[in-house]
Amino acid sequence: MSRALRSIGRSTLGWLLPALLLAGWEGASRAGLIPANVLPAPSAVGEAFWKLLLSGELIENIRISTLRALSGFLVGGSIGFALGLANGLSALSRELTDTTLQMIRNIPHLALIPLVILWFGIDEEAKLFLVALGVFFPIYVNTLLGIQGVDPQLVEMGRIYGMSRTQLFVRVILPGALPSIFVGLRYALGIMWLTLIVAETISASSGLGYMAMQAREFLLIDVVVLSILIYALLGKLADSLARFLERISLQWHPAFQTV
Amino acid sequence: MTAATVTARKSYSTTAPAYTPAPQGKVSFSFRNVAKQFGGKAVLQGINLDVYEGQFVAVIGKSGCGKSTLLRLLAGLDKPTSGEIVTGVLEDDQKRTRIMFQEPRLLPWARVAANVGVGLTGIEKGETARKKSLEILAEVGLADRGGEWPSVLSGGQRQRVALARALVGHPSILALDEPLGALDALTRIEMQQLLERIWLAKKFTAVLVTHDVAEAVSLADRVVVIDSGRIALDLAIPVERPRRHASPELAFFERQILDQLYNR
Ligand SMILES: Nc1ncnc2c1ncn2[C@@H]1O[C@H](COP(=O)(O)OP(=O)(O)O)[C@@H](O)[C@H]1O
Ligand SMILES: [Mg+2]
């Protein structure tokens, strides 16, 4: 009981500072300490939010951006995961592809933007490609690391007890690699939003980044700030979801045991 | 070295404490002139050993003398460079030889009962497997712990889970590679008693590698000393059970083994 109360108290405590900052910001804006053309008051941002929400523009842009982020993530993530598995399990596959992949990894994927625009224009493919590429590497590298880091003594134990290759994979190798795969997942989610923001800001005709860029042209600074806040919120949401999945699937891990 | 081996083998058949097999004992496994090399370096050579069903053999020797290698050969994890190993159980002997290591090697992501269930891979599934796992857990003194994660258990308890996992498939041979080596002295004694009790109840052939001479003589029917890759001494311990730790009888055998180990 008291523990539950304390944990509620602790999570509230984390929100105290942001709330204070917000109140301070509002106060400073009202007192004219922060000019409205530098940073609008939180209430102004709230108003912009309400207006865009009612017009349906906001929801539509969030929907488009989320769809882009997730499809890029799905494509890049599944290729990265599959290659990570293949290279973790087969020395042949690793020797064939790992050097090449490690070389490509050294190119910052955002540096490809001019090339990607030349290839795909500003169509959906451009964004999909960039997000997929950005997400690919953290998932690939961490899946590979995870599998290579599985305790060989446990693998030997599984063999001794007559596990088939499939059983060995499902019961020993994959669970052993999972903590590292989650590290890759959370990292990839961060990169996913980052890439999308950049791509949408540079070349798009819809989405949150586009909304922000348009607002900039019309000097609607409250909408610009609003877009930034929503990006932050979406990023946080994705991370919380990943953490939640992590907590569920890594219950066995001492780091996630709450006894 | 060869001389020492010869005398040891001789004393085996003549002098008083030598090992004499039970009259109608069946052979559980035999090493026939087994040698093992790693990259040209001979680790074991000329190993001849017949172990009888239900016998408790302790293997002792200095670090690096090839004890683990011997067990890995027995468990079929490695193949001998020359010679052969014959086990009584022919067809599914892989299933029936189990090996336990110094580390429990439990799956951290599986509950205790599921870890024991690993020992029934390819033998039993589902509800039956679970029931058998819980039964054997009770036998090693871990009733009610089946639902826990291995990480919450103590070192001794984890090793008991590993023992349960090894036993749940009813092996005819249990190979133990210093399974108590990492435990504190009191837990060790408890585990020795548990091991003896279970061995008496289940009648499997036990091969225990240990570096603890007192442990060897208090548990084993027969102690094999390995030195430089050969069997230097093969000694019967014909002492009634239950045995008392550090009794004068055991001390007598203990001294003989220590003399052999330090060439006194
Ligand atoms: N897989 C291996 N490859 C090369 N050398 C090995 C291998 N396994 C064991 N050895 C060597 O064989 C010798 C005996 O090892 P081991 O059987 O583990 O000794 P013990 O268990 O008696 O301490 C050691 O010198 C060790 O270095
Ligand atoms: Mg060893």
Side-chain angles (χ1 to χ4, degrees), chain B residues 67-68 177-178 209:
Chain B
K67 304 181 297 288
S68 297
D177 195 352
E178 305 193 25
V209 164

Side-chain angles (χ1 to χ4, degrees), chain A residues 49 58 62 208 211 225-235:
Chain A
F49 167 75
L58 186 63
I62 289 180
L208 279 171
M211 189 177 90
V225 173
L226 177 68
S227 325
I228 295 172
L229 288 181
I230 289 177
Y231 266 131
L233 226 62
L234 287 176

